[in-house]
Amino acid sequence: MTFRDVTIKNFKRNVRNFFSYFICSAFAITIFFLYAALLFNNSIREGATEDVIQIVLMLSLAALTLFSVFFINYAHSSFIKSRSKEFAIFMSLGMHKNDLQKIILLENLIISVSSLVAGIITGAIFSRLFQNVAIDLLDLQGVSYSLSAASFIVTAVVFTVIFAASQMISSVKVGKLDIADLMKDSRKQDNQAKTSDTRLGLVGVGLVVASIIFLVVISNHESLNTNPFMIITYILLSFIGIYMVISHLGNTLISFLKNKKFYYRHILSITEINHKFNQNKRIMFILSILSGMTIFLVASPFSLLQLSESIAERNKYDIEYISVAGVHVLESGQLEQVLKQSSEPLKSVQETSFLNLKMNLEGDKYDVLKTKPIVSQDMYNSLTGEKVTVGTGEVLNIVTAWEPGTHGIGEGEAIQFTDGTQTFNYKVKSSYHADWFATASSYPTSSGIVVSNEDYKNMESKVSPNAMGTHYGIDFTAWKGTEGVVQKLKDTLNATDKDGSGQMFAVASKVDAYKELKKNYSLFVFVTSLIGVLFFVAGGMVLYFKQYTEIGNATVFFRKLYKIGISDKEIRSVVSAELLITFFVPLLLGSIFGYCFIYLITHVMSGSDIIGEFMKNTTIVVAVYFVFQLSFYFITKRKYSQEVVRKLTRAA
């Protein structure tokens, strides 16, 4: 038998595993190519004025790259581990380690090249549909489908490097193989369970519970949920807890169940499940994190899409705009004339006066004017329903931007306001997120200032008329029918803009916010759902690889039991229980992590008022995930049970 014959026979013998590896690799390459083609479409880059679109696509490519590194390396490692006895036999017959490395190289070369070609071709075929959907979601005008050479090059280079790196790791592992260790490999695996660490399972459960309590505490305190150290501490605490639960909870439960009737009635299933936990703890931990990230990636944009209307309605008024320093000044009766053209009946027009003064502190990127809107304590309380108190010489910095943080203005800092002539000095009493009398998008600032009634009157009497501003808040009986009057108001205000300064103060409206949110969140759902599908399929394929690469050892184990009278039905029952735990424990733990992380991010982004709806939509995603996982479980259980029973029957 020639070296070529050995390679071909080995490939045929493991064709099922290689085909599964080929399918998932080609799928990963296809999705990567779709995103790369979208990212390198020049017309989309030019037509999409928002940087967030490019950021989302680049982050998607980065996530897919990291995932592919993990998955492909895992597949290589699994194949080598599952064929330990086979390699030992080859080496005992005189085959050198270099020959084994050549066999693995040829096998991986076939899979790498074929999956790369298949993935790129499939991606090129579906890229038109993918790009057209993305263009429609982004509502881009004059943008057409195109395939750039860069998308082909980047995809080929990235996955060539990944395959090459995985091959190098495999070659190093093969170079360290020893015949004696290979022959004992399966017995080493069977003795991995540690019964001395039963208390660590309870410690793991305690850490998971403690991480959830810690999460609730930091989420509800802005000073904590904006602290990277606190967030990293929570993630590490939850990761350690999840890993300890997977590693030791089986031994802990067995220690409690021993000497109980239930234990002896199901002793075979319980001990085999515990063995699998100890043997597969690392991969189950990784799958738990992968499941959690899948839920987070899919549930977050899905919830935001479902809540687009609720989020848009967080704007205080249906339509609002700012008139200040000669900008957006309409003639008497002109506003009323414009609003009469609306198809929806007008409910009210609220006019709020404020001071607009320059500040000395370094502001946020939103503070492009380097000014702050200022209102009195009574005005603020009346407009927002709050009950704040501000002393003379003090100010409250009310953060209006959605990002966490105090935006350059902290408690105790000295702050100075001026209109260019008069100067006013204060001390910041506090700085925090809260309601404001206007929507943040109507004024380019990250926060507003509240001063005492006495200080406001003093400032109002001394500043120039140009420092006085007016906020117009307009409400109709139904905001969804105001698109026409919003555009009419924009055109009217733009006509008064002589020097372009009016562009700094946008007309904010619920209908525009709703359309923008729908567009952006639809794109996020579209982008992250495909990644979530890939993660789900990959998680299932990892479990598939794990079961089938260990089917030889499982057959040996069941063959021993088969000889002493275990029935096919009992074998199927043990396999069913084992797979049920293996498939759903990572998903259960991942769901807990996904829920917690969504809870944290929602509070960080000042969305605590919609957390109930957010969790409801997340539950829908988790339920769908469980349904798909259940179907994958039934397919794997049937095939795996049939394979084990078939081999046992043939051996008998």
Side-chain angles (χ1 to χ4, degrees):
M1 182 182 293
T2 64
F3 179 80
R4 178 174 174 274
D5 293 333
V6 172
T7 303
I8 294 174
K9 286 183 177 293
N10 269 286
F11 188 85
K12 290 180 178 180
R13 181 175 178 271
N14 296 281
V15 66
R16 177 180 293 171
N17 290 334
F18 279 119
F19 182 72
S20 301
Y21 171 40
F22 162 79
I23 290 296
C24 203
S25 296
F27 185 45
I29 294 169
T30 298
I31 294 181
F32 184 95
F33 180 86
L34 292 175
Y35 287 112
L38 192 63
L39 179 64
F40 292 107
N41 186 324
N42 291 327
S43 59
I44 290 180
R45 284 210 302 270
E46 294 170 358
T49 58
E50 300 175 20
D51 294 337
V52 67
I53 297 171
Q54 304 299 320
I55 293 173
V56 168
L57 293 175
M58 286 189 287
L59 289 177
S60 300
L61 287 178
L64 290 171
T65 301
L66 290 175
F67 159 76
S68 300
V69 169
F70 154 74
F71 176 78
I72 293 172
N73 181 59
Y74 171 77
H76 279 280
S77 300
S78 297
F79 290 150
I80 292 176
K81 188 175 182 180
S82 66
R83 298 162 65 187
S84 56
K85 290 185 179 180
E86 175 188 328
F87 291 155
I89 293 173
F90 286 154
M91 292 174 70
S92 65
L93 294 176
M95 184 176 286
H96 195 270
K97 292 179 182 179
N98 291 337
D99 296 324
L100 290 178
Q101 290 173 336
K102 290 179 181 178
I103 291 176
I104 295 173
L105 176 62
L106 287 175
E107 292 173 345
N108 290 337
L109 188 62
I110 294 172
I111 295 297
S112 302
V113 173
S114 59
S115 61
L116 189 59
V117 171
I120 290 177
I121 292 176
T122 306
I125 293 173
F126 287 98
S127 61
R128 178 181 289 275
L129 175 63
F130 186 81
Q131 289 190 27
N132 287 340
V133 172
I135 290 169
D136 289 340
L137 290 174
L138 293 171
D139 194 25
L140 299 177
Q141 304 298 324
V143 174
S144 59
Y145 161 78
S146 69
L147 275 181
S148 170
S151 57
F152 289 90
I153 295 173
V154 169
T155 304
V157 169
V158 167
F159 281 91
T160 298
V161 170
I162 292 174
F163 283 123
S166 299
Q167 176 58 38
M168 289 177 63
I169 294 173
S170 299
S171 297
V172 171
K173 289 182 178 179
V174 171
K176 296 179 180 180
L177 293 179
D178 180 80
I179 295 179
D181 291 336
L182 288 173
M183 296 301 291
K184 294 185 295 183
D185 187 61
S186 62
R187 280 179 286 170
K188 285 182 180 179
Q189 293 176 354
D190 288 337
N191 293 322
Q192 286 183 352
K194 295 180 180 180
T195 58
S196 60
D197 299 330
T198 55
R199 294 181 181 178
L200 293 178
L202 295 178
V203 174
V205 174
L207 286 177
V208 171
V209 174
S211 69
I212 295 174
I213 296 173
F214 184 69
L215 167 75
V216 174
V217 172
I218 66 173
S219 295
N220 289 280
H221 292 81
E222 186 177 341
S223 60
L224 298 179
N225 65 38
T226 57
N227 188 330
F229 174 76
M230 290 294 178
I231 295 178
I232 293 173
T233 300
Y234 157 69
I235 293 175
L236 290 177
L237 194 65
S238 60
F239 278 16
I240 294 171
I242 290 173
Y243 185 76
M244 291 183 69
V245 167
I246 293 173
S247 300
H248 304 289
L249 189 58
N251 292 330
T252 303
L253 292 176
I254 285 180
S255 68
F256 283 117
L257 289 173
K258 277 186 176 179
N259 302 321
K260 303 290 193 304
K261 290 183 179 180
F262 178 82
Y263 175 77
Y264 292 107
R265 287 177 181 173
H266 305 87
I267 187 170
L268 182 59
S269 297
I270 292 173
T271 53
E272 179 63 8
I273 289 170
N274 185 50
H275 162 68
K276 287 297 182 182
F277 259 87
N278 286 279
Q279 186 180 13
N280 302 331
K281 56 187 176 184
R282 290 183 180 85
I283 194 62
M284 291 182 71
F285 171 72
I286 293 173
L287 288 174
S288 298
I289 304 304
L290 193 64
S291 297
M293 292 308 299
T294 301
I295 291 169
F296 174 73
L297 285 172
V298 176
S300 297
F302 172 73
S303 297
L304 289 172
L305 179 62
Q306 295 295 107
L307 293 171
S308 296
E309 184 172 330
S310 299
I311 296 173
E313 288 177 343
R314 297 176 76 183
N315 286 11
K316 295 189 68 67
Y317 300 98
D318 294 346
I319 307 174
E320 53 188 302
Y321 72 95
I322 297 290
S323 175
V324 64
V327 176
H328 288 172
V329 178
L330 299 179
E331 297 178 2
S332 177
Q334 192 172 6
L335 177 61
E336 291 77 3
Q337 189 66 32
V338 172
L339 298 180
K340 286 181 180 179
Q341 301 179 36
S342 172
S343 58
E344 298 291 342
L346 179 66
K347 184 186 294 185
S348 64
V349 178
Q350 175 75 44
E351 296 184 18
T352 303
S353 299
F354 64 93
L355 301 179
N356 182 60
L357 300 176
K358 292 185 180 296
M359 62 178 176
N360 65 317
L361 294 179
E362 183 65 28
D364 184 79
K365 63 181 180 180
Y366 289 103
D367 297 315
V368 293
L369 299 180
K370 304 301 179 186
T371 63
K372 288 291 183 186
I374 304 171
V375 296
S376 69
Q377 170 188 303
D378 285 351
M379 291 170 60
Y380 178 75
N381 289 337
S382 174
L383 292 167
T384 63
E386 300 287 339
K387 296 180 180 180
V388 303
T389 56
V390 190
T392 303
E394 295 180 334
V395 301
L396 290 179
N397 181 56
I398 307 299
V399 180
T400 57
W402 64 268
E403 292 97 334
T406 56
H407 302 269
I409 304 177
E411 183 177 339
E413 290 194 57
I415 188 169
Q416 185 181 88
F417 299 103
T418 180
D419 64 348
T421 304
Q422 297 291 329
T423 301
F424 308 93
N425 295 295
Y426 297 97
K427 184 178 180 180
V428 178
K429 177 182 179 181
S430 185
S431 184
Y432 56 90
H433 275 90
D435 287 337
W436 187 240
F437 70 85
T439 299
S441 58
S442 64
Y443 186 101
T445 183
S446 62
S447 63
I449 300 295
V450 181
V451 298
S452 67
N453 298 327
E454 295 78 8
D455 286 336
Y456 186 84
K457 290 178 181 178
N458 177 54
M459 298 167 71
E460 187 178 29
S461 64
K462 294 180 179 180
V463 298
S464 65
N466 280 339
M468 302 294 295
T470 304
H471 170 268
Y472 293 88
I474 306 163
D475 281 326
F476 293 86
T477 55
W479 61 267
K480 288 187 177 180
T482 60
E483 186 172 358
V485 71
V486 168
Q487 187 58 50
K488 180 65 177 176
L489 180 59
K490 288 179 181 179
D491 294 339
T492 303
L493 293 174
N494 288 338
T496 67
D497 181 18
K498 305 301 181 183
D499 56 1
S501 57
Q503 297 178 5
M504 303 299 296
F505 300 96
V507 175
S509 67
K510 290 180 180 178
V511 67
D512 283 341
Y514 177 67
K515 287 169 58 181
E516 191 67 19
L517 290 169
K518 270 283 192 181
K519 182 180 74 173
N520 290 336
Y521 294 156
S522 296
L523 175 66
F524 291 160
V525 169
F526 181 64
V527 169
T528 57
S529 293
L530 279 179
I531 297 178
V533 169
L534 174 61
F535 283 4
F536 167 74
V537 172
M541 295 309 294
V542 166
L543 289 171
Y544 179 89
F545 287 144
K546 194 67 180 175
Q547 298 303 322
Y548 275 93
T549 52
E550 295 175 355
I551 197 169
N553 293 332
T555 304
V556 172
F557 170 73
F558 284 116
R559 186 177 295 142
K560 295 174 184 177
L561 298 175
Y562 201 67
K563 289 180 179 179
I564 60 174
I566 190 173
S567 65
D568 292 352
K569 182 179 179 181
E570 290 173 314
I571 290 175
R572 294 179 188 276
S573 176
V574 172
V575 169
S576 177
E578 173 191 321
L579 291 180
L580 188 67
I581 298 296
T582 305
F583 268 72
F584 288 98
V585 166
L587 181 53
L588 180 62
L589 294 173
S591 298
I592 294 173
F593 177 71
Y595 271 113
C596 291
F597 205 67
I598 287 175
Y599 182 87
L600 173 63
I601 296 299
T602 304
H603 280 79
V604 169
M605 299 306 177
S606 305
S608 57
D609 56 327
I610 56 173
I611 188 67
E613 288 294 319
F614 222 98
M615 289 302 174
K616 176 183 175 182
N617 290 310
T618 302
T619 302
I620 295 174
V621 173
V622 171
V624 172
Y625 198 157
F626 267 89
V627 170
F628 279 113
Q629 188 80 331
L630 189 64
S631 62
F632 203 88
Y633 157 75
F634 281 122
I635 294 172
T636 304
K637 183 187 74 170
R638 181 170 58 85
K639 290 183 175 295
Y640 187 74
S641 300
Q642 289 176 348
E643 186 70 11
V644 171
V645 172
R646 183 181 63 83
K647 288 189 175 184
L648 290 177
T649 305
R650 181 185 298 174

